[in-house]
Amino acid sequence: MTDFKKLDIVVLSGGISHERDVSLRSGRRVAEELQAAGHSVTLRDPDARLLSTLVEKAPDVVWPALHGASGEDGALQALLRARGIRYVGSHAEGAGLAWFKPTAKTLVARAGIATPTWMSLPNGTFRELGANGVLAEVLHSIGSAAVVKPAQGGSAQGVTIVTDPEDLPRAMVDAYTYSDVALIEKKIEGTELAIAVMDSGHGPVALPAVEIEPLSGVYSFEARYNAGETTFYAPARVSEEVAERAAATAVEVHKLLGLRHISRIDLIVDDEGVVWFLEANMLPGLTETSLVPQAIEAAGLTLASAYSALALAAAGE
């Protein structure tokens, strides 16, 4: 490549969230691919000296691979931007919208995009209004088949598929372990798709959809990160027409939430072909079993070239 520019890149991984181990794996993989592309890469676990060190080092670009609140709620991005440090990924505003799932779903629904019926409940609601009455209302509004998840967070931590009303209280407790607000949404049966949206400076483009088929029937934390527990199809085994509508939905959500560079939009297609939005990930996992790397390779790209393009785009903005 005649226009190649070698960058000095700092990859941030680890942190103190529940997703630290996943972050370490993502960061290591990103660093390896960027090095393979010819860049100078430093892998760093954040600490109290991070910002001062970055100001002193003045890298061309920072690549946050910090999953969980420490990297996805927008605070880190706001601090980096305040210091004039270029970075890969969404700005603070988009990060915050995607991070809090009820807000993302509200914006998506207002734009006319289908998303399962939902209800978000702070844990204090049960103390104030009584658990029995609140749970009865949840069942009345959502139904007995539901997905309960933390309103913030990723990697399926604290997520429960509820098919028996008696399991709902335990599911709420599990969700509150990871967030003060739980999101309960109607369970949609269908084909689960993850669509990576990538923008290296020429506008957001949807990569081939990855179809998710967990052997247990639930795409849990274990199914995500333990090899062999989930079968993935990239591209997904859906019709061309469904694939195009799902891709268009993913790009629309990416733009609507103000995301940047790379995102993963999680969808489900029901038996009637309706594409439902589930959630958006502004800092998707990039481990050896993650979905975005599979989508990049299904598009005929190498991880090294794709990650390099994103880093170059961030450095040039």
Side-chain angles (χ1 to χ4, degrees), residues 254-310:
H254 178 96
K255 292 179 178 178
L256 181 67
L257 298 180
L259 305 182
R260 191 179 74 136
H261 294 149
I262 187 75
S263 70
R264 194 191 76 232
I265 310 301
D266 294 341
L267 310 168
I268 191 164
V269 181
D270 67 19
D271 293 339
E272 297 181 358
V274 177
V275 177
W276 298 83
F277 166 78
L278 299 179
E279 58 187 73
N281 301 268
M282 57 73 61
L283 205 162
L286 299 172
T287 74
E288 59 276 5
T289 60
S290 293
L291 301 166
V292 169
Q294 296 183 57
I296 290 172
E297 292 175 341
L301 305 171
T302 66
L303 298 181
S305 65
Y307 295 167
S308 180
L310 293 173

Side-chain angles (χ1 to χ4, degrees), residues 36-260:
H39 300 291
S40 174
V41 182
T42 301
L43 190 58
R44 197 181 194 288
D45 202 328
D47 57 27
R49 284 188 46 79
L50 175 63
L51 293 175
S52 60
T53 300
L54 290 176
V55 171
E56 179 181 342
K57 181 178 174 60
D60 295 309
V61 68
V62 171
W63 189 307
L66 296 168
H67 303 309
S70 59
E72 297 188 61
D73 64 3
L76 173 65
Q77 289 76 9
L79 291 168
L80 292 175
R81 184 166 58 182
R83 280 293 195 168
I85 299 169
R86 293 182 172 88
Y87 56 91
V88 173
S90 298
H91 289 313
E93 297 81 3
L97 293 176
W99 174 245
F100 193 64
K101 295 177 178 67
T103 298
K105 284 173 66 73
T106 297
L107 293 174
V108 165
R110 287 178 178 174
I113 299 170
T115 189
T117 302
W118 82 96
M119 180 182 296
S120 58
L121 294 173
N123 57 13
T125 302
F126 288 86
R127 292 193 300 271
E128 294 177 5
L129 303 181
N132 291 337
V134 172
L135 291 174
E137 183 57 36
V138 169
L139 291 170
H140 174 75
S141 301
I142 306 297
S144 59
V147 180
V148 181
K149 63 180 78 171
Q152 301 147 307
S155 295
Q157 292 181 323
V159 178
T160 305
I161 307 295
V162 175
T163 55
D164 186 332
E166 293 185 359
D167 295 332
L168 183 59
R170 179 73 252 177
M172 299 297 293
V173 171
D174 289 346
Y176 288 136
T177 300
Y178 296 92
S179 173
D180 290 337
V181 180
L183 174 68
I184 312 99
E185 65 182 6
K186 182 178 179 63
K187 177 73 168 68
I188 304 294
E189 299 292 341
T191 302
E192 292 187 62
L193 302 178
I195 299 186
V197 179
M198 195 168 96
D199 184 357
S200 56
H202 306 287
V205 176
L207 302 183
V210 179
E211 179 183 346
I212 304 159
E213 189 178 69
L215 300 182
S216 67
V218 179
Y219 194 40
S220 62
F221 181 89
E222 292 75 19
R224 288 168 185 251
Y225 299 111
N226 292 337
E229 295 203 15
T230 300
T231 301
F232 301 102
Y233 300 92
R237 302 170 300 171
V238 295
S239 69
E240 182 177 347
E241 188 266 339
V242 167
E244 290 177 353
R245 284 194 289 110
T249 298
V251 171
E252 184 177 358
V253 171
H254 178 96
K255 292 179 178 178
L256 181 67
L257 298 180
L259 305 182
R260 191 179 74 136

Side-chain angles (χ1 to χ4, degrees), residues 22-42:
V22 178
S23 173
L24 289 170
R25 290 165 63 179
S26 285
R28 184 171 61 250
R29 295 277 291 184
V30 170
E32 290 171 353
E33 298 297 342
L34 290 172
Q35 288 171 333
H39 300 291
S40 174
V41 182
T42 301

